[in-house]
């Protein structure tokens, strides 16, 4: 299957080929023809599947073939949960549409509103926005959504998680009733189903990853480690494995700051992005990371949501997320279209309760590898918890992802799933 066979016009094919895409991804194969036909779409897809192109390309084509509207009020509205994701979608729309004459712009909070107003005044065909700032514009009368023909809710599950449902409802009231609706979500909660039922009319149901499953191309591993040793282990993994880049997730903003400072002190270039950082600091850190000037980006879930970073080799869960779905979102940052990646979770004894729901969601156990000198410390300090840990997972047999003590004596042995990786001093959990 080629992009041309999907019915895309030559000017879009050119842009796609400039991007180096040769084969459409599964979601593109399914979504592009449906959207070109004007159908509503429910897309079950996480980032890394090529979903942005899956909606942006056919939207650009449909709008371009209809010609320009006189009003130049937005004809397509894309709502995204975070500033970063909105900016990223906006960049893709620009890139794919560079051979067309459509105009697009992005509006989000945390930056000055006046430049956005100027752009909106000049006219846009495609508006990418976060809900809050969009409503600010609507309230001030600086955007008129009466001509919107296509609505995209990108990462709808995250928008609901972030409490945007009321904002979304307010936005929906500002749109014409007759329009094409595209809803993308990595997970299908009951809330998403409700929203889809309300919003979508006879949608094409497109699901590319199995429901709630992590990207197949991601090698996942758990390293049991004492809470206080996590940062030491991380620095060791980065250095010994000669990592080029990694995105590291922490649960809290303070945790992100502390870890960043520790890595920096240990000669590892790092920056943090989270909600307490100014928009300009976040943008700079992301730009540095994308350009390869920054080795480690430490992020909280919300700040990192949907970030598209090409061929990211490592994602680290420095802390496990409280919500199992976030694990799937996080590891979606690696093993992106066409490249494989490694997702490493540093799990302390008190996080075992978070690991189980994640494994249930994945439908499989995550391989465990003990790095010599680290889990042993944990066992020494907290033998009781450690033993429970092992016992509680033993029911799942040799392949289970529970913790076990390293084998004493003998040569280090590696877990099957990670057999080809090169970090020294690694001993597999018994399996
Ligand atoms: P997304 O799922 O939209 O976040 O996209 C993930 C990444 O895949 C982006 O870096 C895109 O540039 C890339 N991508 C999208 N479509 C293709 C394709 N057909 N072939 C190769 N890479 C692609």
């Amino acid at each position: 299957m080629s992009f041309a066979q999907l019915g895309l016009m030559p000017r879009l094919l050119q842009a796609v080929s400039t991007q180096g895409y040769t084969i459409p991804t599964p979601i593109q194969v399914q979504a592009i023809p449906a959207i070109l036909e004007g159908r509503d779409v429910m897309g079950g897809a996480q980032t890394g599947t090529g979903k942005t192109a899956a909606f942006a390309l056919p939207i650009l084509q449909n709008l371009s073939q209809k010609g320009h509207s006189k009003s130049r009020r937005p004809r397509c509205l894309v709502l995204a949960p975070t500033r970063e994701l909105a900016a990223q979608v906006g960049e893709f729309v620009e890139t794919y549409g560079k051979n067309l004459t459509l105009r697009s712009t992005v509006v989000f909070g945390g930056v000055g509103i006046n430049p956005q107003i100027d752009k909106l005044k000049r006219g846009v065909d495609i508006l990418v926005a976060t809900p809050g700032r969009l409503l600010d514009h609507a309230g001030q009368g600086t955007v008129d959504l009466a001509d919107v023909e296509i609505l995209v809710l990108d990462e709808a599950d995250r928008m609901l998680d972030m409490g945007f449902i009321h904002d979304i409802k307010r936005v929906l009231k500002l749109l014409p009733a007759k329009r094409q609706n595209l809803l993308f979500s990595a997970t299908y909660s009951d809330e998403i189903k409700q929203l889809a039922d309300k919003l979508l009319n006879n949608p094409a149901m497109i699901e590319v990853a199995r429901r709630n499953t992590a990207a197949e191309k991601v090698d996942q591993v758990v390293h049991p480690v004492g809470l206080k040793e996590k940062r030491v282990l991380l620095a060791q993994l980065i250095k010994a494995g000669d990592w080029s880049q990694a995105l590291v997730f922490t649960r809290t903003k303070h945790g992100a700051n502390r870890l960043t400072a520790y890595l920096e002190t240990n000669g590892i270039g790092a920056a943090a992005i989270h909600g307490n950082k100014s928009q300009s600091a976040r943008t700079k850190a992301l730009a540095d990371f994308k350009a390869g000037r920054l080795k480690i980006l430490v992020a909280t879930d919300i700040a990192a949501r949907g970030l598209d970073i090409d061929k990211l080799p490592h994602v680290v869960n420095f802390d496990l997320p409280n919500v199992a779905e976030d694990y799937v979102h996080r590891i979606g940052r690696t093993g992106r279209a066409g490249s494989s990646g490694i997702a490493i979770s540093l799990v302390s004894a008190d996080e075992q309760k978070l690991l189980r729901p994640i494994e249930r969601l994945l439908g499989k156990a995550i391989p465990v590898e003990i790095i010599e000198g680290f889990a042993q410390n944990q066992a020494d300090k907290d033998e009781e918890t450690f033993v429970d840990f092992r016992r509680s997972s033993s029911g799942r047999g040799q392949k289970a992802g529970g913790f076990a003590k390293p084998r004493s004596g003998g040569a280090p042995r590696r877990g099957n799933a990670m057999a080809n990786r090169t970090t020294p001093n690694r001993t597999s959990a018994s399996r």
Side-chain angles (χ1 to χ4, degrees), residues 231 249-263 271-277 298-301 318-319:
R231 57 189 202 168
F249 287 92
T250 59
R251 203 176 304 139
T252 66
K253 299 167 192 171
H254 292 304
N257 287 342
R258 277 198 303 270
L259 178 61
T260 304
Y262 175 82
L263 293 173
I273 56 170
H274 54 65
N276 283 1
K277 294 268 176 187
V298 183
T300 54
D301 286 296
F318 189 80
D319 304 308

Side-chain angles (χ1 to χ4, degrees), residues 3 16 19-28 45-55 57 85 88-89 92 96 154-155 306-311 332-333 336-338:
F3 279 102
V16 160
Q19 283 303 103
Y21 309 166
T22 48
I23 303 165
T25 65
I27 188 150
Q28 291 162 1
Q46 56 202 59
T47 49
T49 54
K51 73 175 159 64
T52 315
F55 68 76
L57 291 167
L85 182 63
Q88 199 167 277
V89 170
F92 274 127
Y96 301 143
D154 196 8
E155 310 219 345
L307 291 186
D308 176 42
I309 296 148
D310 261 355
K311 295 190 184 69
R333 303 295 94 73
R336 307 189 68 81

Side-chain angles (χ1 to χ4, degrees), residues 77 90 201 258 302 361 370 400:
L77 172 65
N201 181 18
R258 277 198 303 270
I302 286 179
L361 185 67
I370 292 169

